[in-house]
């Protein structure tokens, strides 16, 4: 079973940027769809961005144009570049993987999850 470890979270001011990374314990390219999710206190976990096996990306409407998901296949790392952050982006961010061709932002399709990394945006 693949293990995932996130890094790159932190505290920034509104308008700032952060880059999250997710390292996988095994080769995921061409076998796993992968995604980034977030959960704020008292809220349900929601999909932020995903990348399918064929490279198709999907974004939540709230982050389109600000966030970019990418996959470094040589290093087996999933990244999330987050620009123009606002307080509404404050949450624990999770990396997830599933051995499917296509997952998009459906939380229920992902069986493998990292422990999360905290992102806090102040106004």
């Amino acid at each position: 079973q693949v293990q995932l470890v996130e890094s790159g979270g932190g505290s920034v001011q509104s308008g700032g940027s952060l880059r999250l990374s997710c390292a996988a314990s095994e080769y995921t390219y061409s076998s796993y769809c992968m995604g980034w999710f977030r959960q704020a206190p008292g809220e349900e976990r929601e999909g932020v961005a995903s990348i399918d096996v064929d490279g198709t990306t999907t974004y939540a409407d709230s982050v389109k144009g600000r966030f970019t998901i990418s996959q470094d296949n040589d290093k087996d790392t999933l990244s999330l570049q987050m620009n123009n952050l606002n307080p509404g982006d404050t949450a624990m961010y999770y990396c997830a993987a599933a051995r499917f061709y296509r997952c998009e932002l459906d939380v229920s399709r992902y069986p493998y999850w990292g422990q999360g990394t905290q992102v806090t945006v102040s106004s």
Side-chain angles (χ1 to χ4, degrees), residues 21-49:
S21 295
C22 172
S25 62
E26 64 182 66
Y27 192 61
T28 56
Y29 178 61
S30 78
S31 300
Y32 290 79
C33 51
M34 301 190 73
W36 287 98
F37 295 79
R38 67 187 182 186
Q39 188 168 19
E43 302 291 330
E44 292 188 353
R45 191 167 297 187
E46 64 174 0
V48 175

Side-chain angles (χ1 to χ4, degrees), residues 1 9-10 17 21 31 40 47 50 54-55 57 65 68 78-79 81 86 88 91-92 100 110 122-123:
Q1 129 179 3
S17 299
S21 295
S31 300
S50 67
D54 64 358
T57 56
T68 302
L78 182 74
S79 298
Q81 177 66 42
N86 62 63
M92 185 71 80
F100 294 126
Y110 292 85
S122 58
S123 58

Side-chain angles (χ1 to χ4, degrees), residues 92-108:
M92 185 71 80
Y93 282 70
Y94 298 90
C95 172
R99 205 174 178 91
F100 294 126
Y101 185 87
R102 187 175 307 282
C103 292
E104 298 182 332
L105 300 179
D106 185 350
V107 174
S108 66

Side-chain angles (χ1 to χ4, degrees), residues 47-89:
V48 175
S50 67
I51 184 164
D52 295 326
V53 171
D54 64 358
T56 300
T57 56
T58 303
Y59 294 92
D61 288 342
S62 59
V63 306
K64 281 181 181 176
R66 301 188 298 122
F67 291 12
T68 302
I69 188 171
S70 61
Q71 195 167 21
D72 184 332
N73 302 320
D74 290 342
K75 297 182 179 180
D76 215 7
T77 300
L78 182 74
S79 298
L80 183 68
Q81 177 66 42
M82 305 186 295
N83 298 327
N84 194 22
L85 287 159
N86 62 63
D89 297 315

